[in-house]
Amino acid sequence: MSIPVDIRIQTVLNVISMEQVTIPRKPTRSSGYSLIVFFLILYVVGVMAATCWVFVLPAKFFYDGNYIRGLLESPQGLNFDPFVHTARVFALLGYSATTPREVVAVSVFTLSFLPVLIGFTLGLRNPSYTNLFLLAAWIGVSTIYLGQYSKELIALWFVFFALYWLGFKRPIAWMAILVIAIYGVFFRSYWIIIAGFWMLLLWLSDRPWRFYLKMTFLLCVMALVSAAFYGVFGYHLTEVRDRVNEYRLDSPDATTMIRNYLPSETVLHDLLNWLIAWSFILIPLPALLFFEAQYVVFFALMVTTLYVTIRIRQGLVFRGMHLPPLVERRMRGSITFMLAFTLVQGIFEPDYGSTVKHMTSLLPTLAYVLAFGQWNFKRVR
């Protein structure tokens, strides 16, 4: 006897509705073993790479590391300088100017690997092979900068603690914004602006507005920031990047500089330069013109990361996933932080080499998003 059509339709609808309220599952025991093996291999390869880069790469990759090593050799007293603060942190961790570079490479990479691993564990739901390989590629690139004295190690831990605080109820969750602002005060002042835009994007992401209304609001805020900066300092916001690059115009490093495409004559020009630079950081097409392997890899990583992140977020929205509120906030917080970070990079980042280096600070939030999973790729078993 055949089943009536109306009953079959209702059955399909019930299945669809059940699919829509499904919460991503935690990995099984077998997939857990696979992940342990994967991260052990990734760690060992990362340690080897971080140690080898010291002997392979040119000196320009170690300017900051050598400068911090010099500060460890000659303490600067109460000097309120970001590099001095960085040197103090390394001194508190037991490092000195005479610590062998191999020891620095292994131990600094290990300290950098931990917040990424914990961030991945916090987000662990439905990891895919695609996401794991993408995370491994980012960690592989980061070994260049996370095997030496650098601000990136400190930034990684601040980003991780911000991600951690997001998992609490309000108002404790707002400590995450404060953590990023504190890093800005002591290590990189533009992170204070990142904290401000992160708070804005978090707020916007929670509004029941259409996408074009959110973008219009964001553009208005960006224009106000540009106008306020010009009113206070007398020059436009994106000119900061040009002033940083002035001393390098005739150097070999000038080829990778991020330039303004329009003359900074009005707030509108400033806003357009900002948006263009932001777009070319998210999709770094100009980097392909350098014809260097590292920038081709960077382009591929950025485009793939942007695509995968959008698919993960869309998967949650279109499938109607009902996540616990604190999990949902961490997911939104991770994605909006990465957006705020790249948005502010569009103002200050002087070149694509620095862009790649500073991107390593995003690894804990990126690991959280990638660990959360994606439902159109083969799951890790």
Side-chain angles (χ1 to χ4, degrees):
M1 185 176 70
S2 62
I3 301 174
V5 174
D6 58 339
I7 295 179
R8 282 182 286 175
I9 293 174
Q10 186 61 46
T11 302
V12 172
L13 291 175
N14 289 339
V15 171
I16 292 174
S17 64
M18 289 176 64
E19 173 68 12
Q20 287 179 332
V21 297
T22 301
I23 295 176
R25 297 171 296 168
K26 287 284 188 179
T28 61
R29 179 176 295 181
S30 61
S31 64
Y33 292 147
S34 299
L35 289 173
I36 291 172
V37 172
F38 170 81
F39 277 102
L40 281 175
I41 295 173
L42 184 58
Y43 171 72
V44 171
V45 173
V47 166
M48 294 171 61
T51 306
C52 292
W53 291 134
V54 179
F55 306 100
V56 175
L57 294 176
K60 67 179 182 179
F61 286 93
F62 304 98
Y63 286 155
D64 289 356
N66 291 333
Y67 183 61
I68 295 169
R69 182 179 286 272
L71 291 175
L72 286 170
E73 186 176 4
S74 55
Q76 300 296 310
L78 297 176
N79 191 343
F80 200 83
D81 178 81
F83 280 103
V84 174
H85 293 154
T86 304
R88 286 177 182 146
V89 171
F90 279 106
L92 287 172
L93 292 174
Y95 293 95
S96 69
T98 58
T99 304
R101 294 183 183 272
E102 296 82 359
V103 174
V104 172
V106 173
S107 56
V108 169
F109 178 77
T110 302
L111 290 172
S112 304
F113 192 77
L114 286 174
V116 182
L117 179 61
I118 301 172
F120 184 91
T121 305
L122 287 176
L124 192 54
R125 287 295 187 283
N126 195 45
S128 69
Y129 290 109
T130 302
N131 294 4
L132 287 178
F133 289 133
L134 181 58
L135 179 62
W138 272 111
I139 292 176
V141 171
S142 73
T143 57
I144 299 173
Y145 311 104
L146 299 180
Q148 56 177 302
Y149 295 133
S150 71
K151 298 177 185 177
E152 273 56 53
L153 169 62
I154 304 168
L156 279 171
W157 280 100
F158 271 84
V159 171
F160 164 73
F161 282 120
L163 178 65
Y164 174 76
W165 283 112
L166 278 175
F168 290 85
K169 294 181 179 179
R170 286 188 289 259
I172 298 177
W174 292 111
M175 283 288 294
I177 305 294
L178 182 61
V179 167
I180 299 302
I182 290 173
Y183 179 84
V185 170
F186 290 97
F187 299 98
R188 286 189 174 116
S189 57
Y190 66 86
W191 277 55
I192 299 173
I193 305 175
I194 292 175
F197 272 104
W198 187 25
M199 185 164 58
L200 171 67
L201 292 177
L202 264 176
W203 179 79
L204 278 176
S205 68
D206 205 27
R207 301 302 97 192
W209 302 348
R210 293 186 180 275
F211 178 74
Y212 76 89
L213 286 177
K214 293 181 180 182
M215 283 302 302
T216 301
F217 190 90
L218 176 61
L219 290 174
C220 289
V221 172
M222 292 169 67
L224 286 173
V225 170
S226 175
F229 185 89
Y230 182 77
V232 173
F233 296 99
Y235 58 94
H236 292 286
L237 193 56
T238 53
E239 288 185 79
V240 174
R241 177 172 49 243
D242 288 340
R243 296 187 177 209
V244 171
N245 282 331
E246 278 181 358
Y247 78 97
R248 303 192 305 169
L249 290 176
D250 297 323
S251 71
D253 296 335
T255 56
T256 64
M257 289 194 310
I258 298 176
R259 304 173 185 269
N260 288 332
Y261 287 83
L262 300 172
S264 298
E265 297 175 351
T266 65
V267 170
L268 178 59
H269 288 95
D270 195 40
L271 181 60
L272 290 173
N273 279 327
W274 187 356
L275 290 172
I276 292 170
W278 185 29
S279 301
F280 282 155
I281 286 174
L282 292 175
I283 305 177
L285 288 170
L288 295 177
L289 301 178
F290 306 144
F291 301 106
E292 294 184 29
Q294 67 192 71
Y295 294 113
V296 174
V297 171
F298 174 58
F299 174 83
L301 282 177
M302 285 300 300
V303 172
T304 307
T305 303
L306 183 63
Y307 170 78
V308 169
T309 302
I310 292 173
R311 290 301 296 268
I312 289 174
R313 187 59 185 170
Q314 283 183 335
L316 293 175
V317 173
F318 292 148
R319 284 173 175 262
M321 294 292 183
H322 292 275
L323 303 176
L326 302 184
V327 175
E328 168 67 13
R329 185 182 301 142
R330 269 201 179 128
M331 174 60 76
R332 286 192 299 109
S334 297
I335 293 175
T336 51
F337 178 74
M338 291 189 286
L339 283 174
F341 188 91
T342 54
L343 179 64
V344 177
Q345 276 188 310
I347 306 171
F348 299 109
E349 210 62 77
D351 58 76
Y352 282 102
S354 298
T355 302
V356 178
K357 178 180 179 180
H358 297 156
M359 283 283 184
T360 59
S361 304
L362 299 177
L363 282 176
T365 50
L366 178 62
Y368 183 87
V369 173
L370 294 179
F372 203 86
Q374 194 169 345
W375 287 268
N376 57 330
F377 288 111
K378 188 175 181 180
R379 182 183 175 187
V380 175
R381 299 186 182 278

